[in-house]
Amino acid sequence: MSGTKLLRTALTGIVLSATALTTLQGTALAADAAKAPKAQPAAAAPAASTVGGIEAETARALAESLTDAAWRNRVRNAALASEEVDLQALTAAAPAGAGRELKAEVADADVRIAEAKGLGSDIGSLLRVRLADASMREDLTARTAPLVAAAPADDDASTITAYDSRGTAHELDADTVPERPVYIVGVDGAKAVRAGLEVLNEELDRQGLASPAQQTGTKSGSRALADIGTNSTGFWTTKITSVSVGDLKEPWFKGDAEVFTLVTGFGKDGVPRVDPVQMPYLDSENTTYYPNQVLVNWSNYKYNLADAVMMEDDGDTNYQSLAKAIAAVLLTITDQGMYIPLVDALLDAVPTSWWTDDPDYVDSWYTLAKEYTGRRNGAAANGWMNVQPYWVSAL
């Protein structure tokens, strides 16, 4: 055999041996890799200054950190133990290694998200990580190398970008739950909405969309129901006894909805006012809830009619900007001595670009009357609520 053939044979043997060794070492992750779609050119990433952009940055960083087996197992155990895991707390408690290296990046991302949403700097951690779908629990084994994604800003997106431990982007079908486990990095919606509605209240007060006489005794401009409009005997409200909505536009990667309602009408001074009402229980579509929640405090309003616009926030909503946009439109409307519905004006106030995802319009109710009892269907035929008058007695 010639020297060339001997050399080729030797090299072939070396390559085959190396391949076999690599195969043995990678057997634990091979099944997971087979389940993953082929890497595709990722769509244009959202701007780094947006909530979606910050979530995407964090998702990629988390994915790359999962090469550390100990840290990967720690994240897995946390995701299996809780529906949502505080990412800042998880990285802060991690031992030295990949998890601890993420700590500063996650803390910085939380600050940037709070700023992007117009929230106070003292809100604390906002980023959460969760398993995308309950069906993935069985496949999330200690040897699994899951993908990590941030939910896209557009609910109508056909794909979602996920990252593997090399930082490579994979395009997943937005309509089909993938076989390979996926972690979703996102914002604690309930916490963000709660803080956002406080900011919205305060900004609306500054913009003049609250009756000055009704603000006495409130804290930080917040118009809590128990603190306003009371007299020696009490006040009338409208209470929601049951409620259901249809399409909340929540695909597999989005998780629970975060719904709130903006109640609007003319205040005692004849100036339009807006009272935000959080609905943290309204998680799923086509489900009936029985909250017995006060929706309208009639002592705030001049007329016995009010409107309600239900929205769902799961994106880049900046609550200060939202309040200013609403005020810019509603403050141009004057009291004509009779009730004028304000739903259309309020919806027109929301910038067109926001309707891609945040806040999603759910439904609206025109002319809710103080005396009304029974079922009211939403104007968009996407929801209904049963309401009744409810007397709140003063202490």
Side-chain angles (χ1 to χ4, degrees):
M1 184 180 291
S2 68
T4 301
K5 290 183 177 179
L6 285 172
L7 178 60
R8 185 182 298 118
T9 301
L11 289 174
T12 300
I14 292 171
V15 170
L16 290 174
S17 297
T19 301
L21 178 61
T22 300
T23 300
L24 288 173
Q25 291 174 335
T27 298
L29 302 180
D32 296 309
K35 293 179 181 180
K38 293 182 179 179
Q40 301 289 339
S49 60
T50 66
V51 173
I54 299 167
E55 288 175 343
E57 288 179 354
T58 308
R60 183 168 186 167
L62 176 59
E64 293 174 344
S65 75
L66 296 179
T67 54
D68 183 321
W71 169 241
R72 185 171 67 244
N73 194 50
R74 192 180 186 92
V75 175
R76 168 185 170 270
N77 290 338
L80 291 175
S82 177
E83 290 186 4
E84 281 195 340
V85 181
D86 185 323
L87 194 52
Q88 188 174 144
L90 186 64
T91 56
R100 181 58 63 90
E101 292 171 4
L102 271 177
K103 178 182 176 181
E105 186 169 347
V106 171
D108 177 67
D110 275 327
V111 171
R112 291 162 59 204
I113 286 175
E115 181 179 354
K117 292 185 74 65
L119 306 177
S121 59
D122 59 345
I123 189 173
S125 64
L126 284 169
L127 282 170
R128 302 291 185 265
V129 62
R130 59 179 173 81
L131 194 59
D133 192 81
S135 64
M136 300 174 179
R137 293 179 66 88
E138 290 185 4
D139 291 327
L140 190 65
T141 66
R143 296 179 296 176
T144 304
L147 299 173
V148 186
D154 186 0
D155 284 344
D156 295 324
S158 59
T159 60
I160 172 175
T161 301
Y163 300 95
D164 62 26
S165 57
R166 298 187 186 90
T168 303
H170 300 261
E171 295 302 311
L172 307 180
D173 186 347
D175 296 323
T176 305
V177 179
E179 294 182 23
R180 183 172 178 176
V182 179
Y183 289 135
I184 298 292
V185 171
V187 170
D188 183 337
K191 184 176 183 179
V193 170
R194 185 166 56 250
L197 294 188
E198 290 180 2
V199 170
L200 187 65
N201 260 331
E202 295 169 4
E203 186 62 36
L204 289 172
D205 285 347
R206 280 193 289 269
Q207 295 290 330
L209 288 179
S211 305
Q214 305 300 325
Q215 298 179 30
T216 304
T218 61
K219 181 179 180 181
S220 302
S222 177
R223 299 188 299 279
L225 178 63
D227 297 331
I228 57 178
T230 59
N231 53 42
S232 59
T233 56
F235 54 95
W236 280 105
T237 69
T238 287
K239 180 175 69 171
I240 302 172
T241 58
S242 59
V243 59
S244 180
V245 296
D247 184 11
L248 281 173
K249 300 179 177 64
E250 291 299 287
W252 62 266
F253 50 81
K254 275 298 182 77
D256 290 339
E258 298 300 338
V259 177
F260 62 94
T261 295
L262 301 180
V263 179
T264 185
F266 287 90
K268 295 292 188 181
D269 57 358
V271 176
R273 66 176 288 132
V274 179
D275 292 292
V277 178
Q278 187 178 8
M279 298 175 151
Y281 52 86
L282 224 167
D283 295 327
S284 305
E285 58 191 37
N286 299 314
T287 302
T288 301
Y289 296 89
Y290 302 89
N292 286 319
Q293 180 184 28
V294 169
L295 180 67
V296 186
N297 176 357
W298 291 106
S299 66
N300 288 329
Y301 294 92
K302 178 178 180 180
Y303 301 105
N304 67 341
L305 295 171
D307 300 326
V309 177
M310 187 180 289
M311 294 181 173
E312 189 259 332
D313 172 23
D314 54 4
D316 288 323
T317 304
N318 184 303
Y319 287 90
Q320 288 184 336
S321 298
L322 178 61
K324 290 175 181 177
I326 291 173
V329 172
L330 294 191
L331 287 176
T332 65
I333 300 174
T334 58
D335 181 15
Q336 302 296 320
M338 59 182 295
Y339 179 74
I340 303 172
L342 298 174
V343 168
D344 293 343
L346 191 150
L347 293 178
D348 287 344
V350 179
T352 303
S353 61
W354 293 16
W355 293 109
T356 56
D357 188 64
D358 55 319
D360 283 335
Y361 170 71
V362 178
D363 213 328
S364 51
W365 285 261
Y366 291 75
T367 58
L368 286 169
K370 177 180 178 181
E371 299 83 6
Y372 191 83
T373 297
R375 175 165 168 158
R376 287 290 303 268
N377 294 320
N382 191 44
W384 58 263
M385 61 175 73
N386 276 310
V387 298
Q388 68 179 45
Y390 182 71
W391 176 256
V392 178
S393 298
L395 293 176

